[in-house]
Amino acid sequence: MKTSIIVLLLLFPVVTSQADWREQGSPSDQLANLVELVPGTSHWMFEIGERYKNLYWAAKQGRWEFAQYQVEEIEKLIKVVQLARPKRAETAQEFLETGVPIINDGVASKKWDLFKPAFAKLNQACMTCHGKNDHAFITLPVEPASASSPVLNLPD
Ligand code: HEC
């Protein structure tokens, strides 16, 4: 008797748990939940921050193709931010039109001496957008001390 009560109590939360909206929800509820789940700026910025460091170290190692790849991925992620958070779209566009061409030229030069000032200007373009979006306190180093990609094989 006692055991069956315990079993019932254990089952209770399962029986009364909410229906899974992904399968049982109405299409409009499903859509609303999916919109709610779209990751925001900070999520995408986290990856941009990693790629920023990888870009610097790829150039430093003379791995220009990998550096170019990082720039392309950063550009794509900024476009994702534009879509995910329309209030950032205008300032993101400014970045795409100013910061991206400068760093593209820096990488295309395949010369560290030309890349370095271009990277400093990229940093400024990132910071300009942070400032315009009330996040001026988020600053990034012009000479990142490390990079996370295993491709670059740097110590932790
Ligand atoms: C559209 C404007 C914009 C541009 C362009 C931009 N950022 Fe950001 N970034 C933001 C905002 C806004 C935040 C704060 C996140 C939030 O409010 O959700 C942020 C946050 C960050 C963070 C902190 C993430 C965290 O949560 O730890 C990093 C790192 C970052 N940005 C790196 C960069 C780098 C590197 C660039 C340039 C390659 C860049 N950002 C370009 C708007 C921008």
Side-chain angles (χ1 to χ4, degrees):
M1 178 62 187
K2 256 185 189 169
T3 327
S4 57
I5 289 172
I6 291 167
V7 168
L8 273 176
L9 283 173
L10 284 173
L11 281 175
F12 192 68
V14 177
V15 174
T16 57
S17 71
Q18 277 191 334
D20 189 333
W21 61 267
R22 296 168 305 167
E23 278 144 27
Q24 277 103 44
S26 68
S28 66
D29 282 349
Q30 287 174 333
L31 188 60
N33 286 350
L34 286 174
V35 168
E36 191 66 30
L37 285 170
V38 171
T41 309
S42 67
H43 175 93
W44 305 112
M45 284 296 150
F46 206 83
E47 185 177 340
I48 290 173
E50 292 305 308
R51 294 195 181 282
Y52 171 88
K53 293 190 292 177
N54 293 338
L55 164 62
Y56 177 86
W57 278 93
K60 203 164 185 174
Q61 293 181 0
R63 301 188 67 169
W64 298 108
E65 248 182 293
F66 193 56
Q68 183 56 40
Y69 166 74
Q70 297 302 330
V71 174
E72 284 163 18
E73 292 304 311
I74 289 172
E75 186 175 359
K76 276 192 226 165
L77 287 164
I78 294 288
K79 288 177 181 169
V80 170
V81 170
Q82 282 188 306
L83 193 59
R85 291 294 181 267
K87 68 176 170 185
R88 318 269 194 225
E90 201 181 319
T91 46
Q93 192 58 34
E94 286 171 22
F95 174 84
L96 291 172
E97 286 167 15
T98 56
V100 172
I102 290 170
I103 195 64
N104 263 331
D105 287 351
V107 172
S109 77
K110 297 188 179 173
K111 289 194 181 80
W112 176 248
D113 289 348
L114 294 177
F115 172 85
K116 252 199 117 186
F119 190 79
K121 283 186 183 148
L122 172 72
N123 178 292
Q124 277 168 21
C126 302
M127 295 310 107
T128 299
C129 201
H130 288 179
K132 286 184 176 172
N133 284 282
D134 302 319
H135 283 78
F137 65 93
I138 300 181
T139 57
L140 284 121
V142 185
E143 293 182 13
S146 64
S148 61
S149 172
V151 172
L152 299 163
N153 201 23
L154 291 162
D156 287 334

